[in-house]
Every structure is written in C-alpha cells, then in structure tokens.
Amino acid sequence: MMPVDGKKRILLVRQYRLPARSYLWELPAGTIDPGEKPLQTAKRELVEETGYRAKKWQKIAEFYPSVGFLDEKMTIYLATELTAGEAKPMDDERIQTKWFTAKEVEAMLLNGKIMDAKTNIGFLKWKLYFAGK
C-alpha cells in the first residue's frame, strides 16, 4: 500500500531483503493470507508494519511483477486519512519507517536508492494520476 498523509508525504519502510542482500526503502507490503482479499491484506499489513490505519483506500495499480515465471499479482492501494498507532511487526521483522516528501522519493528513484518494482510503480502511478487531487 502507499500511505500518503495530508501534506502529500509518503510513508516508506526499510527492512533487510535477503534476495537483494540489502536494506531497502519501499512501500509497506505483505503476503495475502488464505481467504483474504488484497484490500484486507493491505489494511492488516499497514497496521503490522507501520502502526497506521487509513480511513480511505483506493486501488492505484495492479500488475504482475515477473510474469515470465511467477503467477504472483501485486495490488497497490493508496491509503489516506491516516491515524497513527502502534506497529505490530512479526517476530522476525525489523522494520524502520520514515516519511518522505514526493521530491525525496522521486530523487531516490532516479538515483537508484529505491530498487523494488512496487515502489517504482506505485509512486509513478500516484504522481501521474492521484497526487494532484
């Protein structure tokens, strides 16, 4: 999901990603549990990873991150009208959160400091179609 506050700042999480062998800044995300819908997962993961809850949710992107060999489909929701709370990460998660301006995120994308597809796609879709609203 893409949490955006009233100042149009974006909340990113930083955590170690084993396949990348690196700490990455990215949009909060998580795996859909059996029986869950993507929006339910987004709401649950937002609280788990950041502590925030959102009153408004809007789908901004749906895509296959690696259609050549995975059937995984990702959905990104814009989460707004946020209320802070206590994060509830899983025992093995070490997550740092930080608010960034749109200019900061754009600079991080351009200079390669943000490397994952969902954050690239989510930010660009938001900037093109939702940021001005």
Side-chain angles (χ1 to χ4, degrees):
M1 73 294 312
M2 185 167 177
V4 177
D5 71 4
K7 298 176 187 175
K8 302 226 181 207
R9 295 179 306 163
I10 298 111
L11 184 62
L12 298 181
V13 298
R14 184 175 185 260
Q15 58 186 323
Y16 187 79
R17 294 299 195 176
L18 190 58
R21 296 186 184 120
S22 183
Y23 285 91
L24 300 178
W25 283 107
E26 59 190 90
L27 293 176
T31 303
I32 297 173
D33 287 342
E36 266 187 335
K37 301 285 185 196
L39 182 55
Q40 291 172 301
T41 302
K43 290 178 178 181
R44 176 179 53 78
E45 288 287 344
L46 183 63
V47 172
E48 285 179 12
E49 293 191 358
T50 73
Y52 281 87
R53 296 179 190 278
K55 285 185 185 175
K56 291 181 76 178
W57 293 86
Q58 184 175 4
K59 186 191 295 188
I60 61 172
E62 189 172 44
F63 61 97
Y64 292 100
S66 189
V67 75
F69 67 97
L70 294 175
D71 66 354
E72 176 186 29
K73 184 175 9 176
M74 290 190 142
T75 306
I76 301 174
Y77 291 93
L78 178 61
T80 57
E81 297 186 23
L82 302 165
T83 304
E86 186 177 335
K88 299 172 183 166
M90 300 182 82
D91 291 337
D92 63 342
E93 290 181 316
R94 303 293 178 264
I95 298 172
Q96 176 187 355
T97 61
K98 184 176 176 183
W99 289 100
F100 292 90
T101 65
K103 284 185 179 187
E104 289 172 323
V105 173
E106 186 170 356
M108 292 167 73
L109 290 171
L110 291 173
N111 68 26
K113 291 189 189 273
I114 293 179
M115 297 288 293
D116 80 299
K118 73 181 173 304
T119 305
N120 278 269
I121 291 169
F123 178 78
L124 294 173
K125 283 265 199 159
W126 172 77
K127 185 175 178 188
L128 285 172
Y129 301 110
F130 299 92
K133 293 182 181 179

